Amino acid sequence: MAHELRLTGERLTGELVAKVEELSGENLYACFQCGKCSAGCLFADHMDLLPSQVLRLVQLGDEDVLSAQAPWVCASCLACAVRCPKGVDIAKVMEAIRLISLRKGEPHLSPRALAKEERLPQIALVGAFRKMTP
Amino acid sequence: MKRIPYFPGCGLKDQARGFELAALAAMERLGYELAELPRWNCCGTVYSLASDDLMRHLAPIRNLIRVQELGESRLVTLCSMCFGTLKRSAQFVEEDSERLATINAFMDEEDDYQGGVEVLHLLAVLRDEVGYEAIEEAVERPLEGLKVAPYYGCMLLRPRGLGVDDPDHPRVMEELLSALGAEVVDHPYKVECCGSYLTAGRADVVEARVAAIAGAAVQRGADLIATSCPLCQFNLDTRLSQAAGRRGTPSIPSVYFTQLLALALGADPHLGEQAIDPRPVLAARGFLSEVRG
């Protein structure tokens, strides 16, 4: 995803950074963009932004990150979280971004999308709907 | 017979019956009764990663209250997802008494949760309490010649410090399989996620994941993959079988580790639920004729 960065002091002290920090409980500025999370992410090749890029956009207060698909492709497997050399739990940052849109009432999974499934176990349904619907 | 309170979760009462039945039969042979927790409820499946989402911790904490009501202090699970949510929620309230007070205040009918219930995965009980020596002694039919690729997935090992073993270099499943006499097939995807709940809505992503995992196991000569989670099992079995036929998609059966344990101990492994049937390879290696119920 080509992206134009516009840096302003207002963004850095803006609502997005504060909200993600509060929801995730993580220090976003501990990340120094080494990219280890992206290198080890099993889902990176299905994402429009790499996990480290998601984190960077949040650091910069760029609200475009809220419309990225990457957080919805993240399966919360925590591979990034155990590998981050700075101890940033990126999975919690992904969760915070998902929650910002879920708490506006925007679902990211519809039962209609599963109409063709013959049989999905409850564990999959409960997990997916808890993660992707308000 | 020693008794440990046991939390089954939804999968083990539905598509993963074999996981539970094999575990109950095998543990009985080792002198343990897995005593199903009275009035258990869904664990919530996925742990909330948000700092403020206390509501999501009610379901796991309510289960821990059931353990407390029994006068017990531990709870064993078989499913990795249940293990993850129960263990992490227990920790979440343990580290902050205000959170616990809020959750307790919300629940009217239950006694307050006092904390202190230890959540264990059966693999840890087999390692730390039963012990591999005792398991080896109880083996009636060593799984000699059977090549098994362990698959851990995510919630059994992560986050660091709460999983059953080292998140990067786990040994617990390898050691159990060795105690059963099986040949362990190491492979680079054993701790890498199968796609988890993305299977609802993003089957394409999951199919790519499980093809990579199965491919690594097949390439290294494994007969079977051993799992500890009904969701990993669904993805590695049903989703893999659905992807079959596409160029390069490997095929290998997956079974729960409890089914291999039961098989080696001479109990019924309760096979037969899998989309990719493990029985032909087990029969070819000479393991199925000697099974008794």
mmCIF file of all heavy atoms in Angstrom, chain B residues 97-119:
data_model
loop_
_atom_site.group_PDB
_atom_site.id
_atom_site.type_symbol
_atom_site.label_atom_id
_atom_site.label_comp_id
_atom_site.label_asym_id
_atom_site.label_seq_id
_atom_site.Cartn_x
_atom_site.Cartn_y
_atom_site.Cartn_z
ATOM 1 N N SER B 97 -6.170 -6.523 41.783
ATOM 2 C CA SER B 97 -7.324 -6.853 42.630
ATOM 3 C C SER B 97 -8.555 -6.007 42.290
ATOM 4 O O SER B 97 -9.686 -6.411 42.524
ATOM 5 C CB SER B 97 -6.952 -6.678 44.107
ATOM 6 O OG SER B 97 -6.529 -5.348 44.315
ATOM 7 N N GLU B 98 -8.327 -4.845 41.693
ATOM 8 C CA GLU B 98 -9.466 -4.002 41.327
ATOM 9 C C GLU B 98 -10.302 -4.636 40.207
ATOM 10 O O GLU B 98 -11.528 -4.610 40.231
ATOM 11 C CB GLU B 98 -8.945 -2.628 40.881
ATOM 12 C CG GLU B 98 -9.966 -1.522 41.012
ATOM 13 C CD GLU B 98 -9.382 -0.179 40.621
ATOM 14 O OE1 GLU B 98 -8.295 0.159 41.144
ATOM 15 O OE2 GLU B 98 -9.986 0.512 39.794
ATOM 16 N N ARG B 99 -9.580 -5.217 39.248
ATOM 17 C CA ARG B 99 -10.289 -5.935 38.169
ATOM 18 C C ARG B 99 -11.139 -7.050 38.754
ATOM 19 O O ARG B 99 -12.300 -7.235 38.396
ATOM 20 C CB ARG B 99 -9.280 -6.586 37.223
ATOM 21 C CG ARG B 99 -8.523 -5.644 36.348
ATOM 22 C CD ARG B 99 -7.448 -6.432 35.607
ATOM 23 N NE ARG B 99 -6.589 -5.534 34.867
ATOM 24 C CZ ARG B 99 -5.359 -5.865 34.471
ATOM 25 N NH1 ARG B 99 -4.865 -7.059 34.756
ATOM 26 N NH2 ARG B 99 -4.644 -5.005 33.792
ATOM 27 N N LEU B 100 -10.530 -7.807 39.645
ATOM 28 C CA LEU B 100 -11.231 -8.939 40.232
ATOM 29 C C LEU B 100 -12.451 -8.456 41.008
ATOM 30 O O LEU B 100 -13.535 -9.043 40.903
ATOM 31 C CB LEU B 100 -10.286 -9.728 41.148
ATOM 32 C CG LEU B 100 -10.914 -10.921 41.870
ATOM 33 C CD1 LEU B 100 -11.507 -11.911 40.875
ATOM 34 C CD2 LEU B 100 -9.882 -11.631 42.745
ATOM 35 N N ALA B 101 -12.295 -7.358 41.742
ATOM 36 C CA ALA B 101 -13.414 -6.836 42.527
ATOM 37 C C ALA B 101 -14.571 -6.434 41.609
ATOM 38 O O ALA B 101 -15.738 -6.691 41.910
ATOM 39 C CB ALA B 101 -12.939 -5.647 43.367
ATOM 40 N N THR B 102 -14.247 -5.808 40.467
ATOM 41 C CA THR B 102 -15.295 -5.387 39.528
ATOM 42 C C THR B 102 -16.027 -6.605 38.964
ATOM 43 O O THR B 102 -17.257 -6.629 38.878
ATOM 44 C CB THR B 102 -14.677 -4.571 38.363
ATOM 45 O OG1 THR B 102 -13.871 -3.553 38.919
ATOM 46 C CG2 THR B 102 -15.743 -3.975 37.475
ATOM 47 N N ILE B 103 -15.251 -7.624 38.587
ATOM 48 C CA ILE B 103 -15.858 -8.838 38.020
ATOM 49 C C ILE B 103 -16.716 -9.544 39.075
ATOM 50 O O ILE B 103 -17.850 -9.954 38.804
ATOM 51 C CB ILE B 103 -14.759 -9.772 37.455
ATOM 52 C CG1 ILE B 103 -14.164 -9.134 36.198
ATOM 53 C CG2 ILE B 103 -15.313 -11.157 37.151
ATOM 54 C CD1 ILE B 103 -12.920 -9.830 35.669
ATOM 55 N N ASN B 104 -16.211 -9.631 40.284
ATOM 56 C CA ASN B 104 -16.980 -10.257 41.362
ATOM 57 C C ASN B 104 -18.271 -9.488 41.636
ATOM 58 O O ASN B 104 -19.328 -10.083 41.858
ATOM 59 C CB ASN B 104 -16.134 -10.336 42.638
ATOM 60 C CG ASN B 104 -15.242 -11.566 42.655
ATOM 61 O OD1 ASN B 104 -15.539 -12.575 42.019
ATOM 62 N ND2 ASN B 104 -14.137 -11.486 43.377
ATOM 63 N N ALA B 105 -18.186 -8.158 41.602
ATOM 64 C CA ALA B 105 -19.364 -7.342 41.886
ATOM 65 C C ALA B 105 -20.453 -7.537 40.836
ATOM 66 O O ALA B 105 -21.647 -7.380 41.099
ATOM 67 C CB ALA B 105 -18.966 -5.866 41.967
ATOM 68 N N PHE B 106 -20.020 -7.886 39.628
ATOM 69 C CA PHE B 106 -20.977 -8.052 38.537
ATOM 70 C C PHE B 106 -21.788 -9.343 38.678
ATOM 71 O O PHE B 106 -22.917 -9.436 38.219
ATOM 72 C CB PHE B 106 -20.221 -8.061 37.195
ATOM 73 C CG PHE B 106 -21.132 -8.095 36.008
ATOM 74 C CD1 PHE B 106 -21.689 -6.927 35.511
ATOM 75 C CD2 PHE B 106 -21.443 -9.294 35.390
ATOM 76 C CE1 PHE B 106 -22.535 -6.957 34.420
ATOM 77 C CE2 PHE B 106 -22.289 -9.332 34.286
ATOM 78 C CZ PHE B 106 -22.836 -8.153 33.807
ATOM 79 N N MET B 107 -21.201 -10.353 39.302
ATOM 80 C CA MET B 107 -21.864 -11.661 39.377
ATOM 81 C C MET B 107 -22.656 -11.771 40.675
ATOM 82 O O MET B 107 -22.089 -11.689 41.756
ATOM 83 C CB MET B 107 -20.820 -12.784 39.282
ATOM 84 C CG MET B 107 -20.243 -12.891 37.885
ATOM 85 S SD MET B 107 -19.122 -14.275 37.710
ATOM 86 C CE MET B 107 -17.662 -13.635 38.491
ATOM 87 N N ASP B 108 -23.968 -11.968 40.552
ATOM 88 C CA ASP B 108 -24.835 -11.989 41.726
ATOM 89 C C ASP B 108 -24.933 -13.366 42.377
ATOM 90 O O ASP B 108 -24.958 -13.488 43.583
ATOM 91 C CB ASP B 108 -26.252 -11.544 41.330
ATOM 92 C CG ASP B 108 -26.277 -10.076 40.947
ATOM 93 O OD1 ASP B 108 -25.406 -9.341 41.447
ATOM 94 O OD2 ASP B 108 -27.142 -9.684 40.154
ATOM 95 N N GLU B 109 -25.025 -14.394 41.529
ATOM 96 C CA GLU B 109 -25.388 -15.704 42.080
ATOM 97 C C GLU B 109 -24.203 -16.480 42.636
ATOM 98 O O GLU B 109 -24.386 -17.377 43.445
ATOM 99 C CB GLU B 109 -26.085 -16.537 40.999
ATOM 100 C CG GLU B 109 -27.474 -15.989 40.692
ATOM 101 C CD GLU B 109 -28.060 -16.571 39.419
ATOM 102 O OE1 GLU B 109 -27.608 -17.657 39.014
ATOM 103 O OE2 GLU B 109 -28.944 -15.931 38.845
ATOM 104 N N GLU B 110 -23.026 -16.148 42.176
ATOM 105 C CA GLU B 110 -21.856 -16.913 42.600
ATOM 106 C C GLU B 110 -21.192 -16.289 43.818
ATOM 107 O O GLU B 110 -21.303 -15.097 44.057
ATOM 108 C CB GLU B 110 -20.810 -16.973 41.473
ATOM 109 C CG GLU B 110 -21.147 -17.925 40.348
ATOM 110 C CD GLU B 110 -22.072 -17.316 39.326
ATOM 111 O OE1 GLU B 110 -22.417 -16.127 39.457
ATOM 112 O OE2 GLU B 110 -22.452 -18.032 38.385
ATOM 113 N N ASP B 111 -20.458 -17.124 44.534
ATOM 114 C CA ASP B 111 -19.542 -16.595 45.537
ATOM 115 C C ASP B 111 -18.436 -15.832 44.808
ATOM 116 O O ASP B 111 -18.168 -16.102 43.642
ATOM 117 C CB ASP B 111 -18.888 -17.746 46.319
ATOM 118 C CG ASP B 111 -19.878 -18.411 47.269
ATOM 119 O OD1 ASP B 111 -20.896 -17.762 47.596
ATOM 120 O OD2 ASP B 111 -19.632 -19.567 47.647
ATOM 121 N N ASP B 112 -17.784 -14.935 45.505
ATOM 122 C CA ASP B 112 -16.661 -14.220 44.883
ATOM 123 C C ASP B 112 -15.522 -15.185 44.556
ATOM 124 O O ASP B 112 -15.266 -16.130 45.310
ATOM 125 C CB ASP B 112 -16.118 -13.156 45.847
ATOM 126 C CG ASP B 112 -17.023 -11.924 45.884
ATOM 127 O OD1 ASP B 112 -17.994 -11.873 45.103
ATOM 128 O OD2 ASP B 112 -16.742 -11.025 46.696
ATOM 129 N N TYR B 113 -14.869 -14.906 43.445
ATOM 130 C CA TYR B 113 -13.660 -15.685 43.130
ATOM 131 C C TYR B 113 -12.524 -15.158 43.998
ATOM 132 O O TYR B 113 -12.263 -13.952 44.038
ATOM 133 C CB TYR B 113 -13.325 -15.555 41.634
ATOM 134 C CG TYR B 113 -12.056 -16.282 41.250
ATOM 135 C CD1 TYR B 113 -11.895 -17.640 41.520
ATOM 136 C CD2 TYR B 113 -10.987 -15.617 40.637
ATOM 137 C CE1 TYR B 113 -10.737 -18.307 41.194
ATOM 138 C CE2 TYR B 113 -9.822 -16.282 40.300
ATOM 139 C CZ TYR B 113 -9.704 -17.624 40.582
ATOM 140 O OH TYR B 113 -8.538 -18.288 40.257
ATOM 141 N N GLN B 114 -11.881 -16.072 44.683
ATOM 142 C CA GLN B 114 -10.824 -15.669 45.621
ATOM 143 C C GLN B 114 -9.439 -15.658 44.986
ATOM 144 O O GLN B 114 -8.472 -15.217 45.610
ATOM 145 C CB GLN B 114 -10.791 -16.637 46.823
ATOM 146 C CG GLN B 114 -12.122 -16.827 47.530
ATOM 147 C CD GLN B 114 -12.593 -15.558 48.247
ATOM 148 O OE1 GLN B 114 -11.789 -14.695 48.557
ATOM 149 N NE2 GLN B 114 -13.900 -15.427 48.467
ATOM 150 N N GLY B 115 -9.355 -16.189 43.776
ATOM 151 C CA GLY B 115 -8.041 -16.287 43.129
ATOM 152 C C GLY B 115 -7.365 -17.595 43.491
ATOM 153 O O GLY B 115 -7.851 -18.355 44.339
ATOM 154 N N GLY B 116 -6.263 -17.865 42.837
ATOM 155 C CA GLY B 116 -5.444 -18.998 43.240
ATOM 156 C C GLY B 116 -5.724 -20.319 42.546
ATOM 157 O O GLY B 116 -5.046 -21.304 42.822
ATOM 158 N N VAL B 117 -6.720 -20.375 41.645
ATOM 159 C CA VAL B 117 -6.938 -21.633 40.924
ATOM 160 C C VAL B 117 -5.885 -21.752 39.816
ATOM 161 O O VAL B 117 -5.677 -20.818 39.049
ATOM 162 C CB VAL B 117 -8.362 -21.728 40.328
ATOM 163 C CG1 VAL B 117 -8.496 -22.952 39.423
ATOM 164 C CG2 VAL B 117 -9.399 -21.785 41.439
ATOM 165 N N GLU B 118 -5.231 -22.898 39.794
ATOM 166 C CA GLU B 118 -4.190 -23.118 38.799
ATOM 167 C C GLU B 118 -4.780 -23.841 37.590
ATOM 168 O O GLU B 118 -5.415 -24.881 37.740
ATOM 169 C CB GLU B 118 -3.072 -23.961 39.424
ATOM 170 C CG GLU B 118 -1.832 -24.041 38.571
ATOM 171 C CD GLU B 118 -0.768 -24.971 39.150
ATOM 172 O OE1 GLU B 118 -1.036 -25.657 40.166
ATOM 173 O OE2 GLU B 118 0.322 -25.024 38.584
ATOM 174 N N VAL B 119 -4.569 -23.257 36.408
ATOM 175 C CA VAL B 119 -5.082 -23.873 35.184
ATOM 176 C C VAL B 119 -3.947 -24.645 34.519
ATOM 177 O O VAL B 119 -2.867 -24.096 34.274
ATOM 178 C CB VAL B 119 -5.649 -22.800 34.225
ATOM 179 C CG1 VAL B 119 -6.140 -23.443 32.935
ATOM 180 C CG2 VAL B 119 -6.772 -22.023 34.906
#
